[in-house]
Amino acid sequence: MEKNVLLTIAYDGSRFHGWQKQPGQVTVQGHLEKVMSQLFKREILLSGTSRTDAGVHALGQRASFKTELGIPTERMAMVINNALCAAEDAGGYAKAPVRIVEAVEMPMDFHARFNCKSKEYIYRIIDGTGQSDFATDLSLVFDRNYIYHVKETLDVEAMKKAAKLLEGTHDFKSFEAAGGNPRETTVRTIMSAEVLAAEETGGQRSIEFHVRGDGFLYSMVRIITGTLVEIGQGKRRPEEIREIIEAKDRTRAGHTAPPNGLYLATVFYE
Amino acid sequence: MEKNVLLTIAYDGSRFHGWQKQPGQVTVQGHLEKVMSQLFKREILLSGTSRTDAGVHALGQRASFKTELGIPTERMAMVINNALCAAEDAGGYAKAPVRIVEAVEMPMDFHARFNCKSKEYIYRIIDGTGQSDFATDLSLVFDRNYIYHVKETLDVEAMKKAAKLLEGTHDFKSFEAAGGNPRETTVRTIMSAEVLAAEETGGQRSIEFHVRGDGFLYSMVRIITGTLVEIGQGKRRPEEIREIIEAKDRTRAGHTAPPNGLYLATVFYE
């Protein structure tokens, strides 16, 4: 009997040209469909929730697929992970890690994207890297694809204040990059936007921006993050967020933060 | 006036096809020479200490070069790191990080490779990953290129015992892979070989193998590590190390552990 399976997926996005299948590119969807189709000896087609860009990571991407496979859903994550692991080992020294965090059965009319109510992204930053002493902190060499390094020491309080001004229902046109999919409106609701910072050690802090919304425009989280970083650098005032939203003009917002610090954290349904 | 500069270099080896310059491949030496030559507007040729393989990392690789550059040696690390950083940012989402940890001036007759007295490697392992619960531990997705994941729980005490038997001056022919450079002898001295393990958390442990020697044969540390892992898995007895050394036969030793867990940690001179 056919069933509808929802996968929760984590991946190292710095190894992939984004989520969405594309000819001639190594993408997460393309890789997963290939490994799963070989494993299950039938064509598997995934409907993903979010088209993460090249370099963007996922802790909790979601994708659903319909199948008549007899294998119990609760064993599916382990079986797929073993196949993914073997594919990585066969692929040589530059491994592109993807793992199934969970597999659950859903009603037949459930769709990973259309049923999504909201999503949470996390953007990771390390500040003060301009003074980095690589003789005492080599982590900055190895986390370069996973965290945005900002040379200056950031004013975290100003960033927190600015993040709060993003909450609510607004037209986020100023925070949309060109090149996205057609959409009916640029109005979105941000349920929460928070800047969290760890204690400073050696002039550096690990800073996270957590944002949950009912939807995001193309590159919206990265443009918001770039703007928050500029506020932290003292180049802009926190209150400017209001003016930028009102302007509905991309050129008024800050730079697009690099993809490497961005994580699709959670997809919410219900 | 010409000076002889010794660089200490750290890099994420999973992004490079090894240290040594090769046509058509992205290598650490090739990348560094290109960035430095552009920066200093003259050809820079590096003599590296160790030809690390594709996927192998470095915390303390060394390379020397002769130059008439006026720039003070103590400013060199910062200047080169800024150029490396800019090259990474220009290179898109899959960054290949290299950093200069230190630059010091040496006598004109000093050579980074020929003056090397000993080297220390660190091999990083996580055990018990076969029972991984990705719902609670996503670090295993993101450290896949940096640590060797071993599914089984390893007998660390047996590994410690076996490591001790490697110390001393031995013919390590059994631990040499085919395809290395011509060498006069396969006798090497291992000054110290130690297995260190962190407390177990959630059925997993971070295990490190630290080995210091006056020289290593091709893939020697990886073959030793693979053999130690098999001892930890209970497939071999610790005492077998003696028999493997005596056999002088590669087929008697264990598998070659993957490059991803290996770090060239320190190069010693004097």
Side-chain angles (χ1 to χ4, degrees), chain A residues 132-166:
Chain A
S132 295
D133 183 356
F134 291 105
T136 55
D137 184 9
L138 283 175
S139 67
L140 289 175
V141 179
F142 293 92
D143 69 12
R144 182 87 165 113
N145 284 286
Y146 307 99
I147 304 189
Y148 180 19
H149 293 182
V150 176
K151 290 190 177 183
E152 299 83 2
T153 296
L154 298 174
D155 179 347
V156 173
E157 290 311 311
M159 293 168 74
K160 286 186 185 201
K161 213 184 285 180
K164 280 294 145 207
L165 300 176
L166 293 159

PDB file of all heavy atoms in Angstrom, chain A residues 132-166:
ATOM      1  N   SER A 132      42.561  38.059  14.658  1.00  0.00           N
ATOM      2  CA  SER A 132      42.759  36.632  14.914  1.00  0.00           C
ATOM      3  C   SER A 132      44.219  36.272  15.074  1.00  0.00           C
ATOM      4  O   SER A 132      45.054  36.625  14.253  1.00  0.00           O
ATOM      5  CB  SER A 132      42.205  35.812  13.753  1.00  0.00           C
ATOM      6  OG  SER A 132      40.837  35.990  13.701  1.00  0.00           O
ATOM      7  N   ASP A 133      44.488  35.544  16.119  1.00  0.00           N
ATOM      8  CA  ASP A 133      45.813  35.004  16.318  1.00  0.00           C
ATOM      9  C   ASP A 133      45.727  33.512  15.993  1.00  0.00           C
ATOM     10  O   ASP A 133      45.287  32.709  16.798  1.00  0.00           O
ATOM     11  CB  ASP A 133      46.236  35.220  17.771  1.00  0.00           C
ATOM     12  CG  ASP A 133      47.655  34.721  17.992  1.00  0.00           C
ATOM     13  OD1 ASP A 133      48.236  34.155  17.041  1.00  0.00           O
ATOM     14  OD2 ASP A 133      48.162  34.897  19.100  1.00  0.00           O
ATOM     15  N   PHE A 134      46.131  33.189  14.774  1.00  0.00           N
ATOM     16  CA  PHE A 134      45.994  31.794  14.338  1.00  0.00           C
ATOM     17  C   PHE A 134      46.936  30.873  15.106  1.00  0.00           C
ATOM     18  O   PHE A 134      46.774  29.658  15.074  1.00  0.00           O
ATOM     19  CB  PHE A 134      46.216  31.678  12.832  1.00  0.00           C
ATOM     20  CG  PHE A 134      45.120  32.308  12.044  1.00  0.00           C
ATOM     21  CD1 PHE A 134      45.298  33.524  11.424  1.00  0.00           C
ATOM     22  CD2 PHE A 134      43.877  31.695  11.955  1.00  0.00           C
ATOM     23  CE1 PHE A 134      44.275  34.125  10.710  1.00  0.00           C
ATOM     24  CE2 PHE A 134      42.845  32.287  11.251  1.00  0.00           C
ATOM     25  CZ  PHE A 134      43.045  33.502  10.620  1.00  0.00           C
ATOM     26  N   ALA A 135      47.905  31.458  15.793  1.00  0.00           N
ATOM     27  CA  ALA A 135      48.803  30.615  16.589  1.00  0.00           C
ATOM     28  C   ALA A 135      48.069  30.041  17.793  1.00  0.00           C
ATOM     29  O   ALA A 135      48.445  29.014  18.333  1.00  0.00           O
ATOM     30  CB  ALA A 135      50.008  31.421  17.043  1.00  0.00           C
ATOM     31  N   THR A 136      46.993  30.712  18.231  1.00  0.00           N
ATOM     32  CA  THR A 136      46.282  30.200  19.402  1.00  0.00           C
ATOM     33  C   THR A 136      44.867  29.743  19.075  1.00  0.00           C
ATOM     34  O   THR A 136      44.253  29.064  19.869  1.00  0.00           O
ATOM     35  CB  THR A 136      46.193  31.283  20.509  1.00  0.00           C
ATOM     36  OG1 THR A 136      45.586  32.452  19.932  1.00  0.00           O
ATOM     37  CG2 THR A 136      47.571  31.646  21.029  1.00  0.00           C
ATOM     38  N   ASP A 137      44.350  30.106  17.905  1.00  0.00           N
ATOM     39  CA  ASP A 137      42.986  29.689  17.578  1.00  0.00           C
ATOM     40  C   ASP A 137      42.883  29.252  16.124  1.00  0.00           C
ATOM     41  O   ASP A 137      42.628  30.054  15.234  1.00  0.00           O
ATOM     42  CB  ASP A 137      41.999  30.822  17.858  1.00  0.00           C
ATOM     43  CG  ASP A 137      40.569  30.359  17.623  1.00  0.00           C
ATOM     44  OD1 ASP A 137      40.358  29.148  17.416  1.00  0.00           O
ATOM     45  OD2 ASP A 137      39.668  31.213  17.645  1.00  0.00           O
ATOM     46  N   LEU A 138      43.079  27.958  15.914  1.00  0.00           N
ATOM     47  CA  LEU A 138      43.016  27.429  14.560  1.00  0.00           C
ATOM     48  C   LEU A 138      41.604  27.083  14.126  1.00  0.00           C
ATOM     49  O   LEU A 138      41.373  26.757  12.965  1.00  0.00           O
ATOM     50  CB  LEU A 138      43.909  26.192  14.442  1.00  0.00           C
ATOM     51  CG  LEU A 138      45.390  26.536  14.334  1.00  0.00           C
ATOM     52  CD1 LEU A 138      46.222  25.279  14.336  1.00  0.00           C
ATOM     53  CD2 LEU A 138      45.640  27.333  13.051  1.00  0.00           C
ATOM     54  N   SER A 139      40.633  27.174  15.053  1.00  0.00           N
ATOM     55  CA  SER A 139      39.267  26.810  14.672  1.00  0.00           C
ATOM     56  C   SER A 139      38.792  27.688  13.516  1.00  0.00           C
ATOM     57  O   SER A 139      38.002  27.263  12.683  1.00  0.00           O
ATOM     58  CB  SER A 139      38.332  26.937  15.868  1.00  0.00           C
ATOM     59  OG  SER A 139      38.212  28.289  16.235  1.00  0.00           O
ATOM     60  N   LEU A 140      39.312  28.913  13.449  1.00  0.00           N
ATOM     61  CA  LEU A 140      38.891  29.830  12.380  1.00  0.00           C
ATOM     62  C   LEU A 140      39.313  29.349  10.988  1.00  0.00           C
ATOM     63  O   LEU A 140      38.769  29.793   9.988  1.00  0.00           O
ATOM     64  CB  LEU A 140      39.457  31.225  12.626  1.00  0.00           C
ATOM     65  CG  LEU A 140      38.838  32.004  13.794  1.00  0.00           C
ATOM     66  CD1 LEU A 140      39.584  33.309  13.999  1.00  0.00           C
ATOM     67  CD2 LEU A 140      37.359  32.276  13.547  1.00  0.00           C
ATOM     68  N   VAL A 141      40.306  28.468  10.922  1.00  0.00           N
ATOM     69  CA  VAL A 141      40.670  27.903   9.612  1.00  0.00           C
ATOM     70  C   VAL A 141      39.625  26.868   9.204  1.00  0.00           C
ATOM     71  O   VAL A 141      39.198  26.813   8.051  1.00  0.00           O
ATOM     72  CB  VAL A 141      42.064  27.235   9.671  1.00  0.00           C
ATOM     73  CG1 VAL A 141      42.419  26.634   8.319  1.00  0.00           C
ATOM     74  CG2 VAL A 141      43.120  28.230  10.119  1.00  0.00           C
ATOM     75  N   PHE A 142      39.182  26.078  10.184  1.00  0.00           N
ATOM     76  CA  PHE A 142      38.334  24.935   9.856  1.00  0.00           C
ATOM     77  C   PHE A 142      36.836  25.248   9.860  1.00  0.00           C
ATOM     78  O   PHE A 142      36.049  24.442   9.382  1.00  0.00           O
ATOM     79  CB  PHE A 142      38.665  23.759  10.791  1.00  0.00           C
ATOM     80  CG  PHE A 142      40.041  23.224  10.551  1.00  0.00           C
ATOM     81  CD1 PHE A 142      41.135  23.684  11.264  1.00  0.00           C
ATOM     82  CD2 PHE A 142      40.257  22.287   9.551  1.00  0.00           C
ATOM     83  CE1 PHE A 142      42.415  23.217  11.004  1.00  0.00           C
ATOM     84  CE2 PHE A 142      41.529  21.811   9.277  1.00  0.00           C
ATOM     85  CZ  PHE A 142      42.609  22.274  10.006  1.00  0.00           C
ATOM     86  N   ASP A 143      36.440  26.407  10.407  1.00  0.00           N
ATOM     87  CA  ASP A 143      34.999  26.717  10.414  1.00  0.00           C
ATOM     88  C   ASP A 143      34.627  27.741   9.348  1.00  0.00           C
ATOM     89  O   ASP A 143      33.514  28.251   9.334  1.00  0.00           O
ATOM     90  CB  ASP A 143      34.538  27.185  11.796  1.00  0.00           C
ATOM     91  CG  ASP A 143      35.091  28.557  12.160  1.00  0.00           C
ATOM     92  OD1 ASP A 143      35.632  29.260  11.284  1.00  0.00           O
ATOM     93  OD2 ASP A 143      34.965  28.934  13.334  1.00  0.00           O
ATOM     94  N   ARG A 144      35.550  28.017   8.459  1.00  0.00           N
ATOM     95  CA  ARG A 144      35.353  29.076   7.453  1.00  0.00           C
ATOM     96  C   ARG A 144      34.128  28.835   6.565  1.00  0.00           C
ATOM     97  O   ARG A 144      33.501  29.775   6.106  1.00  0.00           O
ATOM     98  CB  ARG A 144      36.623  29.140   6.614  1.00  0.00           C
ATOM     99  CG  ARG A 144      36.643  30.192   5.562  1.00  0.00           C
ATOM    100  CD  ARG A 144      37.127  31.520   6.075  1.00  0.00           C
ATOM    101  NE  ARG A 144      37.454  32.373   4.950  1.00  0.00           N
ATOM    102  CZ  ARG A 144      36.786  33.485   4.632  1.00  0.00           C
ATOM    103  NH1 ARG A 144      35.814  33.904   5.381  1.00  0.00           N
ATOM    104  NH2 ARG A 144      37.120  34.176   3.577  1.00  0.00           N
ATOM    105  N   ASN A 145      33.765  27.603   6.316  1.00  0.00           N
ATOM    106  CA  ASN A 145      32.601  27.302   5.490  1.00  0.00           C
ATOM    107  C   ASN A 145      31.323  27.169   6.318  1.00  0.00           C
ATOM    108  O   ASN A 145      30.273  26.822   5.778  1.00  0.00           O
ATOM    109  CB  ASN A 145      32.828  26.014   4.697  1.00  0.00           C
ATOM    110  CG  ASN A 145      33.760  26.245   3.519  1.00  0.00           C
ATOM    111  OD1 ASN A 145      33.368  26.840   2.522  1.00  0.00           O
ATOM    112  ND2 ASN A 145      35.006  25.810   3.642  1.00  0.00           N
ATOM    113  N   TYR A 146      31.425  27.424   7.623  1.00  0.00           N
ATOM    114  CA  TYR A 146      30.291  27.151   8.503  1.00  0.00           C
ATOM    115  C   TYR A 146      29.845  28.363   9.322  1.00  0.00           C
ATOM    116  O   TYR A 146      28.794  28.344   9.951  1.00  0.00           O
ATOM    117  CB  TYR A 146      30.628  25.975   9.424  1.00  0.00           C
ATOM    118  CG  TYR A 146      31.099  24.781   8.618  1.00  0.00           C
ATOM    119  CD1 TYR A 146      32.450  24.484   8.476  1.00  0.00           C
ATOM    120  CD2 TYR A 146      30.178  24.020   7.902  1.00  0.00           C
ATOM    121  CE1 TYR A 146      32.871  23.424   7.673  1.00  0.00           C
ATOM    122  CE2 TYR A 146      30.587  22.969   7.105  1.00  0.00           C
ATOM    123  CZ  TYR A 146      31.940  22.682   6.991  1.00  0.00           C
ATOM    124  OH  TYR A 146      32.360  21.647   6.181  1.00  0.00           O
ATOM    125  N   ILE A 147      30.665  29.400   9.344  1.00  0.00           N
ATOM    126  CA  ILE A 147      30.385  30.605  10.137  1.00  0.00           C
ATOM    127  C   ILE A 147      30.865  31.823   9.347  1.00  0.00           C
ATOM    128  O   ILE A 147      31.892  31.752   8.680  1.00  0.00           O
ATOM    129  CB  ILE A 147      31.124  30.543  11.504  1.00  0.00           C
ATOM    130  CG1 ILE A 147      30.755  29.266  12.269  1.00  0.00           C
ATOM    131  CG2 ILE A 147      30.804  31.768  12.340  1.00  0.00           C
ATOM    132  CD1 ILE A 147      31.260  29.221  13.701  1.00  0.00           C
ATOM    133  N   TYR A 148      30.123  32.917   9.455  1.00  0.00           N
ATOM    134  CA  TYR A 148      30.521  34.171   8.803  1.00  0.00           C
ATOM    135  C   TYR A 148      31.525  34.888   9.711  1.00  0.00           C
ATOM    136  O   TYR A 148      31.206  35.221  10.839  1.00  0.00           O
ATOM    137  CB  TYR A 148      29.260  35.023   8.595  1.00  0.00           C
ATOM    138  CG  TYR A 148      29.440  36.375   7.919  1.00  0.00           C
ATOM    139  CD1 TYR A 148      30.563  36.692   7.168  1.00  0.00           C
ATOM    140  CD2 TYR A 148      28.427  37.335   8.034  1.00  0.00           C
ATOM    141  CE1 TYR A 148      30.682  37.933   6.536  1.00  0.00           C
ATOM    142  CE2 TYR A 148      28.535  38.575   7.411  1.00  0.00           C
ATOM    143  CZ  TYR A 148      29.667  38.868   6.671  1.00  0.00           C
ATOM    144  OH  TYR A 148      29.778  40.094   6.061  1.00  0.00           O
ATOM    145  N   HIS A 149      32.735  35.089   9.197  1.00  0.00           N
ATOM    146  CA  HIS A 149      33.769  35.792   9.967  1.00  0.00           C
ATOM    147  C   HIS A 149      33.651  37.297   9.719  1.00  0.00           C
ATOM    148  O   HIS A 149      33.793  37.747   8.588  1.00  0.00           O
ATOM    149  CB  HIS A 149      35.165  35.346   9.523  1.00  0.00           C
ATOM    150  CG  HIS A 149      35.473  33.918   9.858  1.00  0.00           C
ATOM    151  ND1 HIS A 149      36.684  33.336   9.578  1.00  0.00           N
ATOM    152  CD2 HIS A 149      34.748  32.964  10.458  1.00  0.00           C
ATOM    153  CE1 HIS A 149      36.675  32.068   9.983  1.00  0.00           C
ATOM    154  NE2 HIS A 149      35.505  31.829  10.513  1.00  0.00           N
ATOM    155  N   VAL A 150      33.414  38.041  10.781  1.00  0.00           N
ATOM    156  CA  VAL A 150      33.356  39.502  10.661  1.00  0.00           C
ATOM    157  C   VAL A 150      34.554  40.077  11.417  1.00  0.00           C
ATOM    158  O   VAL A 150      34.760  39.781  12.594  1.00  0.00           O
ATOM    159  CB  VAL A 150      32.032  40.065  11.230  1.00  0.00           C
ATOM    160  CG1 VAL A 150      32.023  41.592  11.189  1.00  0.00           C
ATOM    161  CG2 VAL A 150      30.841  39.509  10.444  1.00  0.00           C
ATOM    162  N   LYS A 151      35.347  40.877  10.734  1.00  0.00           N
ATOM    163  CA  LYS A 151      36.613  41.358  11.307  1.00  0.00           C
ATOM    164  C   LYS A 151      36.404  42.240  12.536  1.00  0.00           C
ATOM    165  O   LYS A 151      37.120  42.146  13.518  1.00  0.00           O
ATOM    166  CB  LYS A 151      37.393  42.165  10.260  1.00  0.00           C
ATOM    167  CG  LYS A 151      37.937  41.302   9.148  1.00  0.00           C
ATOM    168  CD  LYS A 151      38.897  42.074   8.254  1.00  0.00           C
ATOM    169  CE  LYS A 151      39.461  41.122   7.205  1.00  0.00           C
ATOM    170  NZ  LYS A 151      40.441  41.771   6.337  1.00  0.00           N
ATOM    171  N   GLU A 152      35.402  43.131  12.478  1.00  0.00           N
ATOM    172  CA  GLU A 152      35.186  44.100  13.548  1.00  0.00           C
ATOM    173  C   GLU A 152      34.515  43.455  14.759  1.00  0.00           C
ATOM    174  O   GLU A 152      33.864  42.423  14.642  1.00  0.00           O
ATOM    175  CB  GLU A 152      34.297  45.248  13.053  1.00  0.00           C
ATOM    176  CG  GLU A 152      34.882  46.034  11.906  1.00  0.00           C
ATOM    177  CD  GLU A 152      34.626  45.375  10.558  1.00  0.00           C
ATOM    178  OE1 GLU A 152      33.957  44.317  10.521  1.00  0.00           O
ATOM    179  OE2 GLU A 152      35.098  45.912   9.540  1.00  0.00           O
ATOM    180  N   THR A 153      34.639  44.111  15.904  1.00  0.00           N
ATOM    181  CA  THR A 153      33.862  43.733  17.077  1.00  0.00           C
ATOM    182  C   THR A 153      32.488  44.379  16.922  1.00  0.00           C
ATOM    183  O   THR A 153      32.391  45.588  16.700  1.00  0.00           O
ATOM    184  CB  THR A 153      34.561  44.220  18.355  1.00  0.00           C
ATOM    185  OG1 THR A 153      35.814  43.533  18.448  1.00  0.00           O
ATOM    186  CG2 THR A 153      33.735  43.911  19.591  1.00  0.00           C
ATOM    187  N   LEU A 154      31.448  43.581  17.002  1.00  0.00           N
ATOM    188  CA  LEU A 154      30.098  44.084  16.719  1.00  0.00           C
ATOM    189  C   LEU A 154      29.394  44.586  17.974  1.00  0.00           C
ATOM    190  O   LEU A 154      29.591  44.045  19.071  1.00  0.00           O
ATOM    191  CB  LEU A 154      29.266  42.978  16.058  1.00  0.00           C
ATOM    192  CG  LEU A 154      29.778  42.480  14.702  1.00  0.00           C
ATOM    193  CD1 LEU A 154      28.954  41.289  14.219  1.00  0.00           C
ATOM    194  CD2 LEU A 154      29.744  43.608  13.669  1.00  0.00           C
ATOM    195  N   ASP A 155      28.557  45.597  17.800  1.00  0.00           N
ATOM    196  CA  ASP A 155      27.718  46.112  18.878  1.00  0.00           C
ATOM    197  C   ASP A 155      26.453  45.243  18.922  1.00  0.00           C
ATOM    198  O   ASP A 155      25.488  45.483  18.199  1.00  0.00           O
ATOM    199  CB  ASP A 155      27.377  47.578  18.582  1.00  0.00           C
ATOM    200  CG  ASP A 155      26.476  48.194  19.652  1.00  0.00           C
ATOM    201  OD1 ASP A 155      25.908  47.443  20.482  1.00  0.00           O
ATOM    202  OD2 ASP A 155      26.335  49.427  19.645  1.00  0.00           O
ATOM    203  N   VAL A 156      26.498  44.224  19.765  1.00  0.00           N
ATOM    204  CA  VAL A 156      25.420  43.239  19.792  1.00  0.00           C
ATOM    205  C   VAL A 156      24.107  43.844  20.284  1.00  0.00           C
ATOM    206  O   VAL A 156      23.029  43.490  19.810  1.00  0.00           O
ATOM    207  CB  VAL A 156      25.828  42.006  20.641  1.00  0.00           C
ATOM    208  CG1 VAL A 156      24.664  41.056  20.818  1.00  0.00           C
ATOM    209  CG2 VAL A 156      27.003  41.284  19.983  1.00  0.00           C
ATOM    210  N   GLU A 157      24.202  44.792  21.227  1.00  0.00           N
ATOM    211  CA  GLU A 157      22.979  45.418  21.745  1.00  0.00           C
ATOM    212  C   GLU A 157      22.223  46.151  20.639  1.00  0.00           C
ATOM    213  O   GLU A 157      20.998  46.069  20.553  1.00  0.00           O
ATOM    214  CB  GLU A 157      23.303  46.376  22.904  1.00  0.00           C
ATOM    215  CG  GLU A 157      23.743  45.657  24.183  1.00  0.00           C
ATOM    216  CD  GLU A 157      22.803  44.514  24.576  1.00  0.00           C
ATOM    217  OE1 GLU A 157      21.578  44.731  24.601  1.00  0.00           O
ATOM    218  OE2 GLU A 157      23.307  43.390  24.829  1.00  0.00           O
ATOM    219  N   ALA A 158      22.963  46.836  19.781  1.00  0.00           N
ATOM    220  CA  ALA A 158      22.328  47.543  18.654  1.00  0.00           C
ATOM    221  C   ALA A 158      21.670  46.536  17.705  1.00  0.00           C
ATOM    222  O   ALA A 158      20.561  46.756  17.199  1.00  0.00           O
ATOM    223  CB  ALA A 158      23.372  48.382  17.918  1.00  0.00           C
ATOM    224  N   MET A 159      22.335  45.393  17.488  1.00  0.00           N
ATOM    225  CA  MET A 159      21.780  44.362  16.600  1.00  0.00           C
ATOM    226  C   MET A 159      20.492  43.765  17.189  1.00  0.00           C
ATOM    227  O   MET A 159      19.530  43.502  16.477  1.00  0.00           O
ATOM    228  CB  MET A 159      22.811  43.264  16.359  1.00  0.00           C
ATOM    229  CG  MET A 159      24.032  43.732  15.563  1.00  0.00           C
ATOM    230  SD  MET A 159      25.384  42.522  15.576  1.00  0.00           S
ATOM    231  CE  MET A 159      24.745  41.276  14.444  1.00  0.00           C
ATOM    232  N   LYS A 160      20.484  43.566  18.505  1.00  0.00           N
ATOM    233  CA  LYS A 160      19.288  43.020  19.173  1.00  0.00           C
ATOM    234  C   LYS A 160      18.104  43.958  18.995  1.00  0.00           C
ATOM    235  O   LYS A 160      16.992  43.539  18.695  1.00  0.00           O
ATOM    236  CB  LYS A 160      19.565  42.831  20.677  1.00  0.00           C
ATOM    237  CG  LYS A 160      20.467  41.656  20.994  1.00  0.00           C
ATOM    238  CD  LYS A 160      20.582  41.441  22.511  1.00  0.00           C
ATOM    239  CE  LYS A 160      21.589  40.320  22.754  1.00  0.00           C
ATOM    240  NZ  LYS A 160      21.476  39.678  24.040  1.00  0.00           N
ATOM    241  N   LYS A 161      18.378  45.245  19.202  1.00  0.00           N
ATOM    242  CA  LYS A 161      17.333  46.258  19.072  1.00  0.00           C
ATOM    243  C   LYS A 161      16.779  46.258  17.634  1.00  0.00           C
ATOM    244  O   LYS A 161      15.566  46.281  17.412  1.00  0.00           O
ATOM    245  CB  LYS A 161      17.935  47.639  19.402  1.00  0.00           C
ATOM    246  CG  LYS A 161      16.980  48.594  20.073  1.00  0.00           C
ATOM    247  CD  LYS A 161      17.612  49.969  20.271  1.00  0.00           C
ATOM    248  CE  LYS A 161      18.632  50.006  21.412  1.00  0.00           C
ATOM    249  NZ  LYS A 161      19.229  51.373  21.557  1.00  0.00           N
ATOM    250  N   ALA A 162      17.672  46.204  16.670  1.00  0.00           N
ATOM    251  CA  ALA A 162      17.266  46.225  15.252  1.00  0.00           C
ATOM    252  C   ALA A 162      16.451  44.979  14.900  1.00  0.00           C
ATOM    253  O   ALA A 162      15.438  45.057  14.192  1.00  0.00           O
ATOM    254  CB  ALA A 162      18.511  46.314  14.369  1.00  0.00           C
ATOM    255  N   ALA A 163      16.875  43.811  15.412  1.00  0.00           N
ATOM    256  CA  ALA A 163      16.183  42.561  15.093  1.00  0.00           C
ATOM    257  C   ALA A 163      14.719  42.634  15.526  1.00  0.00           C
ATOM    258  O   ALA A 163      13.813  42.208  14.806  1.00  0.00           O
ATOM    259  CB  ALA A 163      16.892  41.378  15.772  1.00  0.00           C
ATOM    260  N   LYS A 164      14.493  43.230  16.705  1.00  0.00           N
ATOM    261  CA  LYS A 164      13.122  43.344  17.237  1.00  0.00           C
ATOM    262  C   LYS A 164      12.199  44.114  16.281  1.00  0.00           C
ATOM    263  O   LYS A 164      11.012  43.841  16.198  1.00  0.00           O
ATOM    264  CB  LYS A 164      13.133  44.038  18.604  1.00  0.00           C
ATOM    265  CG  LYS A 164      13.517  43.126  19.762  1.00  0.00           C
ATOM    266  CD  LYS A 164      12.470  42.040  19.990  1.00  0.00           C
ATOM    267  CE  LYS A 164      13.140  40.741  20.446  1.00  0.00           C
ATOM    268  NZ  LYS A 164      12.384  39.541  20.095  1.00  0.00           N
ATOM    269  N   LEU A 165      12.777  45.080  15.563  1.00  0.00           N
ATOM    270  CA  LEU A 165      11.971  45.915  14.655  1.00  0.00           C
ATOM    271  C   LEU A 165      11.530  45.154  13.404  1.00  0.00           C
ATOM    272  O   LEU A 165      10.699  45.626  12.635  1.00  0.00           O
ATOM    273  CB  LEU A 165      12.753  47.170  14.259  1.00  0.00           C
ATOM    274  CG  LEU A 165      13.175  48.083  15.416  1.00  0.00           C
ATOM    275  CD1 LEU A 165      14.016  49.243  14.896  1.00  0.00           C
ATOM    276  CD2 LEU A 165      11.934  48.615  16.151  1.00  0.00           C
ATOM    277  N   LEU A 166      12.108  43.982  13.195  1.00  0.00           N
ATOM    278  CA  LEU A 166      11.728  43.172  12.033  1.00  0.00           C
ATOM    279  C   LEU A 166      10.476  42.352  12.308  1.00  0.00           C
ATOM    280  O   LEU A 166       9.798  41.899  11.382  1.00  0.00           O
ATOM    281  CB  LEU A 166      12.873  42.210  11.667  1.00  0.00           C
ATOM    282  CG  LEU A 166      14.152  42.856  11.135  1.00  0.00           C
ATOM    283  CD1 LEU A 166      15.320  41.900  11.310  1.00  0.00           C
ATOM    284  CD2 LEU A 166      13.973  43.246   9.673  1.00  0.00           C
TER     285      LEU A 166
END
